[in-house]
Amino acid sequence: MLRRLVLTAAASVAALSAVPALPAVAHAEPASLSLRPPPVRGEDSGDRLTVTVQHAEGGDGTYELRCHPDGGSHPDVGKACATLDQRTTWGKDPFAPVAPGTMCTMMYGGPATAHVTGTWAGRPVDARFDRADGCQIARWDALVPLLPGSAHSPGTARSW
């Protein structure tokens, strides 16, 4: 056990000594040390998404959604913004695809597809959704009412 500890410590010291020295920051200009975000531009205010839905049950079309402040042509702006706010947590992307290698049930949720683009929480969004298997259905249903609900999904009422 002691031998393993000594070897681990030696390897750590060797790895750290191989890292090049960082340049001194003491001589840097005060502006370069700023941790503030870049200035907000007029087009950056609020969260803006474009949702294009095809082959959905009564919800086909392209809709604009603005949150903070709420607005746009989306059929349920308030609930869509609230759902996104609820699903936006530190370190998690509410629009993330299903992780590669995930085991998914082989159930088909219909031909509906959606494409969401824009900006959410200061980050660009370009996400595609379908209902091709159980994982994709769950991913879609997690964003209802941003995306239209389906009569075929348990616990998900049609929202559009």
Side-chain angles (χ1 to χ4, degrees):
M1 179 71 158
L2 182 59
R3 180 177 181 213
R4 184 180 299 168
L5 182 62
V6 170
L7 288 175
T8 302
S12 297
V13 170
L16 288 174
S17 64
V19 175
L22 296 175
V25 183
H27 302 300
E29 296 294 324
S32 67
L33 293 176
S34 174
L35 296 177
R36 289 178 278 160
V40 175
R41 301 175 302 182
E43 64 269 19
D44 290 341
S45 63
D47 297 310
R48 298 173 179 266
L49 297 172
T50 301
V51 181
T52 302
V53 180
Q54 296 180 334
H55 311 292
E57 297 173 7
D60 288 8
T62 298
Y63 307 96
E64 298 296 323
L65 176 69
R66 290 187 312 276
C67 302
H68 318 113
D70 294 358
S73 61
H74 188 280
D76 198 345
V77 172
K79 287 184 181 176
C81 289
T83 297
L84 285 170
D85 282 340
Q86 213 172 33
R87 299 209 33 91
T88 302
T89 58
W90 184 260
K92 291 188 179 181
D93 178 3
F95 304 100
V98 174
T102 302
M103 304 247 329
C104 303
T105 59
M106 296 304 297
M107 51 192 275
Y108 180 66
T113 61
H115 187 198
V116 180
T117 58
T119 304
W120 183 258
R123 293 200 162 98
V125 174
D126 186 359
R128 296 188 182 274
F129 296 83
D130 62 42
R131 300 179 65 81
D133 62 37
C135 294
Q136 298 298 340
I137 293 169
R139 182 174 172 248
W140 179 297
D141 289 350
L143 290 179
V144 170
L146 173 68
L147 304 177
S150 169
H152 302 294
S153 295
T156 305
R158 290 166 99 167
S159 63
W160 293 10

